[in-house]
Amino acid sequence: MLSTIAPTNTWYLVLAAVLFGIGTLGVMVRRNPLVMFMCIELMLNAVNLTFVTLATAMSDINGQVVVFFVMVVAAAEVVVGLGIIVSIMRRRTAATADDLSALKG
Amino acid sequence: MLNLVWLIPAFPLAGFLLNTLFGRKLSEPKSGVLATLMTAASFVVTVGVYFDLLSRTTEERHSVFTLFSWLPVGSLKVDMALLADPLSITMALFITGIGSLIHLYAIGYMHGDPKFPKFFMYLNLFVFSMLMLVLGENLLVTFLGWEGVGACSYFLISFWHTRDSAATAGKKAFVTNRVGDWGMMTAMFLAFSSVGTLSYAGINAAASSNHLAAVTATGIAMMLFVGACGKSAQLPLYLWLPDAMEGPTPVSALIHAATMVTSGVFLLTRMSPVLHAAYPWSGTVIASVGAATALFAATVAVAQTDIKKVLAYSTVSQLGFMFLAIGSGAYVAAIFHMITHAFFKALLFLGSGSVIHGMHHEQDMRKMGALRKVMPITGFTFIIGWLAIAGVPPFAGFWSKDEILLFAFANNRFLWLVGVVTALLTAYYMTRQVIMVFYGEARWNDHAEDHGAHGDHTPHESPWMMVTPLVVLAGLAIVGGAMQLPFTHSTKFLEHWLEPIVHHSERDIAGTWADNNKWLLLVFAVVIASAGIAASIAVYAKGKARAIEPQILADGWRYDSTISTFMGGPGRKAFDGISAFDAKIVDGAVVGVGHEVRALSGILRKAQTGLVRSYAVIIGLGAVVMLAWFLLRGVL
Amino acid sequence: MLLAASLNGPDIPWSHILPLLIFLGATCALLLLGSLIPSWPRVGNAVVTISASVAAIVASVVKWNYLHWHKGDTYIADAIAVDRFAVFATIVISLAVVGASLLMSAYLSRTDSEGPELYALFMTAAIGAIVMVSANDLVVLFLGLETLSLSLYLLAASNRRREESQEAGLKYFVLGGFASAFFLYGIALVYGGSGKTSISTIHDSLAAYVSIHKTDAMLLVGIGLLMIGLAFKVSAAPFQVWTPDVYEGAPTPVTAFMASAGKVAAFAAMLRILTVALASRADDWRPVVWALAILTVFVGSTMAVVQTNVKRMLSYSSISHAGFILVGVEAAGHMKGNGLNSSMAYLAIYTVLVLGSFAIVLALSGVDDSETSLDDFKGLAKRRPALALAFSVLLFAQAGVPFTAGFVAKFGVIKSAVEVNSYAIAIAAMVAAVIGAYLYLRIVVSMWMEEPTSNNEIVIARPVRYVIALSVAATLLVGIFPDLLLNAAELVRFAPK
Amino acid sequence: MELVVFVLAAAMVLVGAIGVITRSNPVHAALSLVLTLFGIAVMFVSHEAHFLAAVQVIVYAGAIVVLFLFVIMLLGVDRSEDISIEPITAQRPLAAIVGLGVSGIVIAALVSSRSAISTSGDGIDASTVDAADANIRQLARSIFSNNVFAFEITSVLLIVAVIGTVLMARRIKLREAGK
Amino acid sequence: MHVSTLIANETAAAATHATFPILSALILVPILGAALVAVMSNRRPEWVKLTATLFAVATGGMSIWLLASFKSHEAGFQFVSQHDWISAWGISWHLGIDGISLFLVVLTGILFPLVILGVDPHHDEKPYLAWLLLLEAGVMGSFLSLDLFLFFIFFEIVLVPMYFLIGGWGYDKRIYAATKFFLYTMFGSAFMLVGIIATAALARHDIGYFTFDLVKIAENASFATNTARWLFLSFAIAFAVKVPLFPLHTWLPDAHTQAPTGGSVILAGVLLKMGTYGFLRFGLYLFPAAAVWAKPAFLTLATIGIIYGAIAATMQTDLKRLVAYSSVAHLGFIVLGTFAITSQALSGSVMQMVNHGISTGALFLMVGMIYERRHTRAIAELKGIQAVAPIFAAAFMVVMLSSIGVPGLNGFAGEFLILIGSFQTARWWTVVAATGVILAALYLLWAYQRVFHGEPDEANSSFPELKAREGILLLVFIAIIGFTGLYPKPMLSRIEPSVNKLITHVEEHSTFKAPVGKTAPTETTTHEGGE
């Protein structure tokens, strides 16, 4: 019975949207910069899923190519981001995002 | 001679300029002599012009001398032009004539004043302005003089400006006059917009040829009357004149008795065709205001103790008479009274000045008395002036006042009655003054210590410069009535002389009851005057009755103080309110916007917490709103 | 079969991507030279960078003239567009690199630090920016955006002696990544809605069919997501929150670079995406730009009112400038008039102004780049009148006073807005400019009408002087003879339309 | 079958994602992230994107997450974060609005226009569809022909990453110490 | 007809250009002077002052030369000079002068040298002089521009030097005042900028190409009724702030009070005139129908301003602030005349712009002199000055009477023309406005009494009399006051043709009909000119 119901592309897209939302939420509620960063990765993955799904839906390989590039971007971003985080954390261990608020107003 | 008419104002102007430039060098008394000579020269020219006019036929007694084009814009063409005709020359004659005398008098009166040259500078400027006023060919030139005399009056009233009362009086005079000026300006606007010119000839021609709608004519007339009220101290604008007595006495004599204050009368006479073309009720308004002013001022004069204040209120009262005449259509009578009044009131003022001078600047009549003995000439001439103003025949005032009452009777008997009562009161308070100053006991001895500073305790007669004008004016006050005697048609010289000006609008009373019984009215007037004099003698000389001098009369029916209270109280509050409105509301709104922006900035700044997660929320919320818009655009 | 499917790559017109190549080459050279030659002089870094930028400018100018005779087109399988728009923006970006490098050399010698990496990052950022302005493909554009952004994150955090710099870097990074994700998601949905990622193709494909109700939602939400990402980059309110903190915290030369090159690239991308790819949906996105513009001008100018740090003030002013440029974008959204041209002219002028302004801030900010409060500017006219005058000129230019380039810029965008009947936005922008002027006046007041608080001698390094002098000169020159710039800006077009 | 795969993968994805945002210990969060990444990889497989699935596992789960863990260990910041408190006022409700809002709006848009997903793509080369390496070849062809420019740009991106690492890792002369 | 006038303008431009671009020189010479002063060494201050004076005098001399060679009885623009400037936007350097702007230019030319010579800034003379010269260039530019854009930028640029003059050399609340002045005026021009662009953009339809040329737009463009009204209002806000018209006036008292004496003189003398001039040149000329439509509103505001400004002036405790409020009232008259649109009223307005500049300028000078001597402007602290400084008091009195509007002095000539002209088309407003003359006497005389009359107290008893330099300075003002008051004809004959042309223009482009002057029935017989 269940097997007759095939998940359509929309299902995937909706799932991706949900994932994106969770990622968004995470950036806002987590204080550890590393975890915030992970949440951004969640968002990127949601996009990737969307691209792949759309590529299938449209029978267009370009959607998958984009995912490839996004992964490169994600990698580079991680390197840079972690570099910045490390350089901060080396000086101020256990600093949360909330602690970095000297600039304001 | 007629083309030399420009010399009439030119002499005083030259005197003014010379005194402005060299007055300090000339100093006393040369500057005074210079000013006097200039005025006298002007008088001589005026006499020449007068005889030139006299030598012409009635129709040719009209000459315009254009100096230059003053304000030519579009259809408005205003020339700086002088008009020589019977009216203006009559005015010029007594302005320069009496002016010369008062100048002469002032040389003595102002002796020792540190600002002696300045006084004569102003005096000459005044004469110049006054001459421009009367010689003006159009309303605007007259207005130039009109404002000029106002300014000079201001300078001269506040001549002793270190005295606060003098400064305040000067300001009051100027501002009150300005109220009148507003009326005169409005009249000019109306005249220009309806006739297209400001020249007297043009306006009067339009009025007499029925080119002027009655309603417009009424508007012009009423607005001119407002102007005249201001300048000629009529109700409700009279209140500056009593205060103007703060000025030196020659000023009071020249400006606030003989000349400037009569310019309202002159103006209305000049524009008599317009008045004639106006609705009849406008005449009634003028006459009523005049009568009311006359009576009002007379009642106040009864209770004054300041020698000059009595004369000031008397002047207001007499001016009221002139307006009563104008309102009754008796222009000749108005001018007639104006001239005689100039004689005797100048005389009285100069006399009072002489008394003040002799009394070392004491003006309170209660501290005088029996001065006749120490100041014989002053006393004698003053008494002549008194007789003239009280309406005792055959002195000048009698004839002119009688003529006014005659027309008033013919016009409106109630107003006539008011005039008669006023005449009675005039005789009464003038007699009171003469008795208080020149008769009775010498009360000045009691107060001698007050004048200790002057060294000389006894009053003294004034020097010849001051006495000579008194004598001359006394002569004029005696014979002045001769210019218009009611006996026959041919004895009415003034009427014939002024005919080109007023023939169109002068009220014709021939054949009325008043005209037929004018001798009866004349006798009645004599009786009234005698009654006033008698009553006064009874009260003040014989002490047969108690003087009726209620405080409310001394206070001028509290009119002035009410206005002052209003101005200082609610008026000032209103002004303060507007000023506060400006600061708090109008500027407050501007400053408020600034403050609001600043406050908003402070609030928005709080959103800039420095917390990266807050920023994410703000961005996220912005994103949601934006996406919602697009979703709606897509779905709906 | 494998052989048969041999690769047929697209032609690569090397000359058209010369600026990119120059920067790339210079980047590599810089990294290698610094590590290979032990005695490589510090100044050499700046020389290489500036030479590369100048070379890029020259190449671009040549290309500009080339475009006078040839039609612009898209190349490398539609990946990039070669048009006057891209060339103009490239020149401006390269100029920003020159200016920022000059400032950086002074900054580095003051802090006595090495720094080939920083120059290299300027150039990689420039590459990213140039890719963004010339990209004809959303994916390429995204990659350019990331290249630019990553470089800027690093640059912002590069002063590791200052905690503020680090904080700025992290904030920028986190929020930038967050916004990039939105942008990317937008690409995905637009891709879903149009089937393409190529900008000119999207234009054709979207123009081909009339939007049907309820089926356009994905595309439109995609546009929305794209715009979120772009609005973040251009610091349009309410996505501007990061700007003041990052601008204040970043080293001053970097701030100057971010405010100039960063903004140019972001706006260029926005213009190209919106008015080329999404032209047929202009009625949907234009109101959003309208709202963003008004919000931005007011937020930028209002929030500046109570600030006390000059660097922060200038960052708020940059927000309000962004609002003004958005006015131009909105005008461009009417698909007529010259909103595009005026926006680009504005960006060029703003680049000059912002470089000069931050140069002066740098000159005064002390060794550790932290003396930027308003008090530090008090009485500057008494200490260094010429400097105060120069800053006043730049500030008045930013306020939009006539005879300065700033006025030309503002006038241009307002003109383009008015010409397409966007009166409300034009008036709102002008009113906001009045509020904004208060900010500049406050600085001017401090400089001219107050007494100095310190008497330390102000040493201005020579490169900083050059930047200040050149930007002031350019400000006045363009202010008095706007044709110099306008004649070029009016030629800005997109290829291949 | 497809349904089962989808449900399981979706469960992985969602559980992992929720784990990332709810685990107080960053190490746990990283591990949850791995779960999500695996879930995504599964989905890639079900979309016939084998190459990407592989890369997903190798690069993402393998390299990136490891990098995360590395940093966590390096810095010793594996202490738990107290999730039960939220120092910023109204942060969570607002965050929830944003999260739900973004998801909700996108979902609504996707659902309403699901029929309009464009089918005008370049298509997947039919001749190679059956081959085992079809997906890889397709991708390669696309990357090195039509997307060659983008591909080259990624190299710049990586250069930036390298420079960044150098920059951030460089020892600094801490001025404060000298003072 | 339009074409022919245009051609005439062009040929005139060519002819004048061949000789000497005098109008451009009027703008450029002060700029040159400012630049020179700015770069001069500080070591020889007297040289700096001399240079500034020379340049100001040269500009003044050129303006006088302009006055002398201006063809009276000619309505169009003279000395026209036109060059392309910003071709990308259709903007040209288009300058010209007619009867309306002539005297404002001359006033500017005269006022600046007087201020430079007569007022001492006390410190930092060099920048002060440079700013003044720059200000002069800006003011000249505003009055000479015949291009909307050109006008706008000059209109705006004057803010900067004025801002610095107030902020740098003013009194204690100078920064507040300068900032308020700058922002308030800028706020006004914000609308005008949009209006200018919209005007040019909409006029393109009728002209065929994009241009900001005032003459072309005014003569050729026809705007839809509502459009023209909005455009007019956008200009009007800027001018109303500048004038300033009630209720947008509150920057003025602050700016005037806090500005240094020289700044106040210039501010009152010429800067405010940019607003009233703007109403004429860019209100009536550009949008005749809309101006006629807005007439009642502006007449009302002007009348309120007259009364309100006078009342507010009465209650001021600071002498300078009082004069500032009196400006509000006086400028109300000018606006009244402008919107009455009759030959007399408009001529009067133009004339009054100059008169107000002279008399209020002189008043500010004298208030400045009082401040120099007593270091206060509070009326309450001054007393009895006439007793110790009679010549100073006399000079003040003359100027004050001119300000009050006593006939024979310049203030009256303008005011009277305005009122008599306005009465024909705006009767009731004029009647109310005329009461302003009462109030003017009230506040000025009251102030005079408090400051000059009375017995001088200790602080005032050593009030020094006028110095020779000050005396000569005031003498120039008084001479102008007297001459224009008594013989305004030369001035009017140059103003009137342009004004009439403007009225004709308004009549052609709107339903408005100026009242036809009535001729008195016996007009011909009365003017004989003596015997």
Side-chain angles (χ1 to χ4, degrees), chain E residues 78-156:
Chain E
Q78 303 184 26
F79 304 97
V80 175
S81 126
Q82 189 161 18
H83 308 276
D84 273 353
W85 181 29
I86 308 176
S87 52
W89 289 342
I91 292 161
S92 61
W93 178 266
H94 188 183
L95 307 176
I97 196 165
D98 70 352
I100 294 171
S101 49
L102 173 70
F103 287 97
L104 292 168
V105 168
V106 175
L107 176 69
T108 311
I110 294 174
L111 225 43
F112 275 88
L114 289 181
V115 163
I116 287 176
L117 281 170
V119 187
D120 194 12
H122 294 298
H123 63 93
D124 295 317
E125 196 167 36
K126 199 176 83 153
Y128 172 83
L129 293 169
W131 286 126
L132 261 184
L133 285 170
L134 217 52
L135 182 62
E136 178 168 21
V139 174
M140 283 287 185
S142 319
F143 291 141
L144 294 173
S145 301
L146 292 183
D147 183 285
L148 293 176
F149 180 90
L150 202 57
F151 170 75
F152 180 82
I153 60 174
F154 282 120
F155 189 84
E156 275 284 273

Side-chain angles (χ1 to χ4, degrees), chain B residues 134-448:
Chain B
V134 298
L135 289 171
E137 181 267 343
N138 54 54
L139 274 167
L140 202 62
V141 177
T142 294
F143 192 65
L144 169 73
W146 186 271
E147 289 270 311
V149 293
C152 292
S153 156
Y154 164 69
F155 297 145
L156 287 165
I157 294 170
S158 52
F159 187 73
W160 288 313
H161 52 76
T162 48
R163 226 158 58 194
D164 280 339
S165 55
T168 309
K171 181 192 69 188
K172 190 170 173 184
F174 199 113
V175 174
T176 317
N177 266 308
R178 273 258 145 173
V179 178
D181 296 347
W182 169 80
M184 178 153 176
M185 281 172 78
T186 312
M188 280 193 273
F189 306 153
L190 205 50
F192 174 67
S193 72
S194 52
V195 186
T197 179
L198 290 179
S199 85
Y200 290 120
I203 299 170
N204 285 339
S208 35
S209 60
N210 291 328
H211 278 87
L212 203 58
V215 59
T216 318
T218 310
I220 297 174
M222 284 294 101
M223 284 298 135
L224 284 175
F225 179 57
V226 170
C229 280
K231 204 63 69 210
S232 296
Q234 294 300 290
L235 277 174
L237 299 178
Y238 82 90
L239 40 79
W240 62 273
L241 186 58
D243 285 10
M245 297 304 128
E246 285 291 338
T249 305
V251 170
S252 310
L254 178 61
I255 301 181
H256 305 122
T259 55
M260 183 185 91
V261 288
T262 61
S263 48
V265 180
F266 159 77
L267 184 68
L268 292 184
T269 309
R270 179 56 95 199
M271 299 286 282
S272 55
V274 176
L275 267 64
H276 187 70
Y279 293 129
W281 58 258
S282 58
T284 312
V285 168
I286 295 171
S288 307
V289 171
T293 310
L295 180 60
F296 171 85
T299 57
V300 177
V302 164
Q304 297 302 313
T305 54
D306 184 310
I307 185 169
K308 281 174 78 179
K309 279 273 166 74
V310 174
L311 294 174
Y313 279 106
S314 157
T315 306
V316 175
S317 177
Q318 296 302 312
L319 289 166
F321 260 103
M322 295 176 213
F323 279 93
L324 174 61
I326 290 195
S328 310
Y331 298 100
V332 176
I335 298 293
F336 183 30
H337 193 58
M338 174 161 94
I339 296 168
T340 56
H341 175 255
F343 295 157
F344 60 70
K345 190 52 70 57
L347 170 60
L348 288 170
F349 262 116
L350 294 184
S352 76
S354 181
V355 167
I356 294 165
H357 190 77
M359 289 284 295
H360 307 291
H361 297 279
E362 178 56 66
Q363 303 196 8
D364 192 338
M365 294 194 295
R366 286 168 300 189
K367 295 175 186 167
M368 298 175 182
L371 284 173
R372 185 186 38 162
K373 287 164 192 139
V374 286
M375 305 176 78
I377 306 174
T378 306
F380 177 70
T381 51
F382 199 94
I383 286 165
I384 290 174
W386 160 56
L387 292 171
I389 192 174
V392 174
F395 295 99
F398 166 75
W399 300 109
S400 54
K401 197 182 284 181
D402 187 61
E403 180 141 347
I404 292 173
L405 288 175
L406 178 67
F407 274 81
F409 190 92
N411 188 44
N412 184 326
R413 287 181 198 179
F414 175 72
L415 293 179
W416 170 79
L417 193 61
V418 174
V420 167
V421 173
T422 309
L424 177 77
L425 284 170
T426 308
Y428 176 80
Y429 67 72
M430 282 312 298
T431 313
R432 166 178 176 265
Q433 182 174 38
V434 168
I435 291 169
M436 285 179 83
V437 175
F438 293 101
Y439 291 86
E441 326 157 19
R443 292 180 292 277
W444 32 273
N445 285 327
D446 314 344
H447 305 280

Side-chain angles (χ1 to χ4, degrees), chain E residues 292 295 340-342 424-425 503-516:
Chain E
V292 170
K295 200 178 121 180
I341 330 183
T342 63
Q424 300 170 68
T425 54
I503 292 174
T504 315
H505 179 85
V506 173
E507 285 177 330
E508 278 169 7
H509 292 86
S510 72
T511 54
F512 177 80
K513 286 283 163 279
V516 181

